Each structure stands twice: as C-alpha cells, then as structure tokens.
Amino acid sequence: MTTIGFLGTGIMGHAMAANLVRAGHDVRVWNRTRAKAEPLAELGARVVDDPAEAAEGAGTLVTMLADGPAVAEAFEAAAVAPGTLWLQTSTVGVDWTTRLAEAAEKCGAAFVDAPVLGTKQPAEKGQLVVLASGPEALAERAAPVFDTIGSRTIWVGPVGSGTKLKLVANAWVLALTNATAESLGLARALGVDPTLFLETIKGGGLDVGYAHVKGGAMLAGEYPASFPASLAAKDARLVLEAGGDAVDLGGARATLAHLEITLAAGHGAEDMAALYRAVVRD
C-alpha cells in the first residue's frame, strides 16, 4: 500500500480520497476548509491542517483543486521531498500545467499530468478515466492510485498531453450540455412537451446518456452539484484559451455566455445544468 498526501477534498477530491482509504492506503488529507475533509476521518484518513503535514513522509502527492493558482499555492506549501510522485489530477489548462511541471522539476518531484474524466458519481464509484501524461516509467508507481480512482488509465504522451485531451473532452461536454438546454428550451417555446425530445433520441443513434442526466435535472429544476457551474465556466475559459485563434469554438463560447449569466444570478454552486435558466426566457 502507498502513503499518500491528498490535497483538495471538494466534490471530486472527497470521493477519490475516500476510495483510496477504502483500498487500504495510508491517506493524509488536507482541504482549505477543513470541515470538508473531516468526514474522511471516519473512514480512516488522517485530516491535517496544512499541505506540508499531508506531504510529510508521503511517497505520493495527489492534487485535486479548483484551478492552477490553487494547485500551485498548495504544492509550494507542501514542500515535498525530492523523488515524491506528484499526480496532478485537477483541470488547470495548458499554461498552468507547464508552470506546475516546472515547479515539480525545480524541487525534484516526479510529475504526472493526470486530469480525470467524470463527475461526482463516477468518482464515488472509482470509475473515472485518468488521462495521464508524463514519463511512462512512472506508470507502475502511479498505478496503485490510478487503479483505485479510475476504471481506465490512458497514457497520452509527454507532460501536458493529458490536459490537452481533457480540454478536448470538456469542449464536447460543455457543448452537449448547452445543446441539451437549447433543445429543451426550444421545445418549451414551441409548445412541445420537452420530455418528448429525450424520449425521441433514447436508444437511437442520437442518444447519449449525458443528455438524459443533465436534461432530467433541467426539466426537474433541481441542480445538486455534480459539476458546479462555476467550475464549468472556468473550464470553458480554459478551452477557449487553449483554442486561441486556431479554431472557432462557438459551442464553448455560447456555453460560457449562458454559464456567466448563471453565475451572475447566484447559481454558481449549482450543477452546470443550471445554465438552462439562462437559455429559457420566461
């Protein structure tokens, strides 16, 4: 078993850390708001007050935090020992991944860029898809963590490749969520029962499970956070930043516009499906 310092116990991090504890690993957890980490103590994790305490004596460090600056601050505070394996699972974008890799090299840590695909439920079930990038020589050391938090690990290439693939996938997820909202909103505007849209695509070539999950939340008007709108907006900005002038990412721009309306209305902590409110104009 592995001794792991785990930084960040939000929606995703809590589930990931819990699975690592259940698998028998020695896990020290830290979160800026300690109360969010406390429930993990009941499972056997050691809840600590600062990143350095989490990293002390740990051969592996895992970060799952909101953005690049948060990850960089926590890693600096962790003061990891040379040779520590750092599995960076947060979605931070291309530029910040480069900065974090440089920080790891500076202190002698072995860095793996490993954002994950999936939201709350897959994280709880240990069914995330890990998009790992970095030296494949680190695969064996990373396997005890990746095999616990995910159902599949894809080694993509050099450091940064995992983040790039994650942004590609996120562009699709963002556009799909927004398209679902627009289709349901259009049905409503035309006087068609919106549930018929989901029923019509079900089981056919146009079907996709995500449309039913997010669409169901939209029609119910209930948005428990699986992927908070605030983080979805952050990811949309990272997608647009990465694409630059090389590609027209109209879907990401439209989604971000609706998410920003959602955030301005005070719904940033709700699931990204809450952008439906910005699509439908009563």
Side-chain angles (χ1 to χ4, degrees):
M1 294 296 102
T2 303
T3 299
I4 301 167
F6 200 106
L7 309 183
T9 59
I11 292 174
M12 296 290 289
H14 186 282
M16 293 161 63
N19 284 330
L20 290 168
V21 174
R22 293 189 185 103
H25 298 290
D26 175 16
V27 184
R28 297 92 173 270
V29 296
W30 169 85
N31 194 72
R32 187 181 303 277
T33 303
R34 184 184 172 107
K36 291 184 177 180
E38 288 291 357
L40 290 165
E42 299 176 7
L43 298 178
R46 177 182 166 194
V47 180
V48 299
D49 292 320
D50 58 68
E53 193 176 356
E56 185 178 2
T60 300
L61 183 76
V62 181
T63 47
M64 174 48 85
L65 294 153
D67 54 27
V71 174
E73 181 181 354
F75 178 72
E76 182 178 3
V80 301
T84 300
L85 176 64
W86 179 14
L87 307 178
Q88 206 305 97
T89 66
S90 321
T91 302
V92 299
V94 175
D95 290 345
W96 268 106
T97 296
T98 300
R99 294 190 204 183
L100 297 174
E102 291 171 349
E105 184 177 10
K106 186 176 180 179
C107 73
F111 182 74
V112 179
D113 166 40
V116 294
L117 285 181
T119 52
K120 181 180 179 181
Q121 188 175 50
E124 291 174 341
K125 294 181 177 180
Q127 295 179 346
L128 297 168
V129 177
V130 182
L131 305 179
S133 62
E136 288 200 39
L138 297 174
E140 186 174 353
R141 287 183 64 190
V145 172
F146 290 163
D147 292 349
T148 299
I149 67 173
S151 59
R152 188 160 54 120
T153 299
I154 302 173
W155 283 87
V156 184
V159 165
S161 303
T163 281
K164 291 175 182 177
L165 183 55
K166 176 65 188 296
L167 294 177
V168 170
N170 276 8
W172 178 78
V173 168
L174 290 162
L176 177 59
T177 302
N178 195 62
T180 301
E182 290 185 354
S183 292
L184 294 176
L186 180 60
R188 178 174 168 179
L190 296 178
V192 175
D193 182 354
T195 61
L196 291 176
F197 164 66
L198 296 177
E199 183 63 30
T200 299
I201 65 172
K202 186 176 182 180
L206 300 177
D207 200 7
V208 57
Y210 212 75
H212 295 280
V213 172
K214 298 303 182 186
M218 293 170 189
L219 296 180
E222 298 176 356
Y223 305 104
S226 179
F227 185 21
S230 60
L231 295 183
K234 179 264 295 183
D235 284 3
R237 296 185 190 102
L238 292 176
V239 166
L240 292 169
E241 179 184 287
D245 297 328
V247 57
D248 182 5
L249 297 171
R253 283 198 303 274
T255 306
L256 179 57
H258 288 146
L259 285 167
E260 287 179 335
I261 293 171
T262 303
L263 268 58
H267 301 296
E270 295 181 339
D271 190 77
M272 66 183 297
L275 62 78
Y276 183 63
R277 294 193 180 102
V279 172
V280 176
R281 300 173 180 175
D282 293 320

